[in-house]
Amino acid sequence: MVGGPAVPCPIVSTATDRASGSSSDAVPSPRASAGPAPDSGAGLPHHVRTAFGVREADVRPVVVGGIPSWRCADVLIRPVTDNALAAWSARVLDTLTVDGLRVARPLRSSDGRWVVAGYSACEYVSGTPQPRYDELVATSLRLHTATASVRRPRLLDDRDGLTARADAAAWGERAITMEPSAGGLLFDDLARYRRQIRLPAQVVHADLFGTVLFDGDAPPAILDLVPFWRPVEWAAAVIVVDALAWGGGDPALLGTWAHLDGWPQALLRALLFRVALHAQHPASTAESLRGLDYAADLIVQRL
């Protein structure tokens, strides 16, 4: 079965948020496009290059996982706006090993810091985001097997931005204000299908759509972690919702992963999360909402 048409979604991703200098509360969602690369290597401060040991390396502007960045030999330097999140991600990835997955190892500066003047560095890994959605869900499951022992980060306690509110609203933990025409009405309609779900929570990466890099037959690669304290099945469902709503994904994805525990309600929570985020976000559009409507029609049939 052929999937729905790809629908541009202008809501910025976690990665784009960090690059643009907007709210440090991550707003993960699909990228509408890769965006422009930095205009020149001159945009990367010399003292940052020095701190990460690549002052003399050739600097090439690149866009990796949606983030305008700089490749300096075998090092990738990217801007961040949430230093605490970037440092936490680096500490976890520094020792994380995932079977069948490439991890871009974070690099410390010469004085041991993970973040210097709003920039982080990691090993350069090849690849681009691609619509290999079944592989992306499988990547999520492998990654979260490895993160099962990661302790809940305290930084989650202080989040109160759009993403945190949307996440809490999706699980019925918080009532939030949503624009009716941007998804608020859809949220209310979908929420009536919500039933109790009992699945264990752990650290999961909820921004994998559009950030995992594929390069031929090489294992998929990840650059960082965007933590949520939710079930593994929910994180997989977010990928499926994103693929259906905005990525032209095949509806067969819904059945491929139906063996996962609590799948229908995990899908619903993932859909509610995206709708709640859309209904709050100033960059929401009628076109991107149509993508969510399309995904909702498919998912409601399974509830």
Side-chain angles (χ1 to χ4, degrees):
M1 182 180 297
V2 177
V7 177
C9 181
I11 299 175
V12 293
S13 72
T14 303
T16 307
D17 253 7
R18 292 200 299 272
S20 65
S22 54
S23 170
S24 62
D25 179 74
V27 183
S29 80
R31 288 126 181 82
S33 63
D39 53 7
S40 73
L44 181 61
H46 288 290
H47 73 278
V48 172
R49 293 164 57 185
T50 299
F52 287 116
V54 291
R55 183 179 180 87
E56 304 304 322
D58 291 335
V59 179
R60 181 166 29 140
V62 293
V63 175
V64 180
I67 307 176
S69 310
W70 292 266
R71 181 181 179 182
C72 307
D74 293 328
V75 173
L76 181 70
I77 299 180
R78 302 187 296 163
V80 302
T81 60
D82 189 330
N83 290 357
L85 175 60
W88 175 88
S89 174
R91 286 194 296 271
V92 174
L93 291 183
D94 186 43
T95 58
L96 192 70
T97 300
V98 187
D99 291 337
L101 187 63
R102 292 177 293 153
V103 176
R105 294 298 172 191
L107 301 174
R108 291 183 182 272
S109 67
S110 55
D111 62 2
R113 288 178 291 168
W114 294 117
V115 180
V116 175
Y119 295 87
S120 65
C122 66
E123 297 174 347
Y124 177 82
V125 292
S126 61
T128 59
Q130 297 176 22
R132 295 160 62 169
Y133 300 134
D134 277 319
E135 293 176 69
L136 189 54
V137 175
T139 293
S140 174
L141 297 176
R142 288 197 296 270
L143 172 63
H144 296 139
T145 296
T147 61
S149 61
V150 176
R151 297 178 61 182
R152 186 181 188 276
R154 288 195 300 269
L155 59 85
L156 293 180
D157 298 334
D158 298 327
R159 285 187 177 173
D160 190 34
L162 300 185
T163 303
R165 295 170 197 161
D167 177 44
W171 289 83
E173 298 168 354
R174 178 176 180 177
I176 64 173
T177 300
M178 290 180 262
E179 175 59 41
S181 62
L185 293 177
L186 177 60
F187 184 94
D188 290 341
D189 184 54
L190 292 169
R192 63 193 174 95
Y193 294 102
R194 194 164 45 199
R195 301 291 183 267
Q196 190 172 41
I197 181 173
R198 289 189 175 92
L199 294 171
Q202 64 164 77
V203 167
V204 295
H205 189 327
D207 189 30
L208 290 170
F209 186 89
T211 65
V212 174
L213 305 182
F214 293 95
D215 185 8
D217 294 332
I222 63 167
L223 301 173
D224 55 15
L225 290 174
V226 180
F228 283 69
W229 190 255
R230 292 299 181 194
V232 168
E233 296 83 357
W234 173 82
V238 170
I239 295 170
V240 171
V241 168
D242 291 348
L244 294 175
W246 297 304
D250 192 324
L253 282 166
L254 294 169
T256 301
W257 301 100
H259 62 280
L260 295 177
D261 291 343
W263 185 237
Q265 286 295 314
L267 279 170
L268 178 61
R269 297 307 196 284
L271 178 60
L272 287 168
F273 169 56
R274 285 306 194 206
V275 172
L277 181 56
H278 192 277
Q280 298 177 86
H281 205 284
S284 299
T285 68
E287 187 176 14
S288 55
L289 181 59
R290 282 195 292 272
L292 288 170
D293 279 325
Y294 171 76
D297 288 343
L298 295 171
I299 291 171
V300 165
Q301 298 175 31
R302 293 179 170 266
L303 298 176

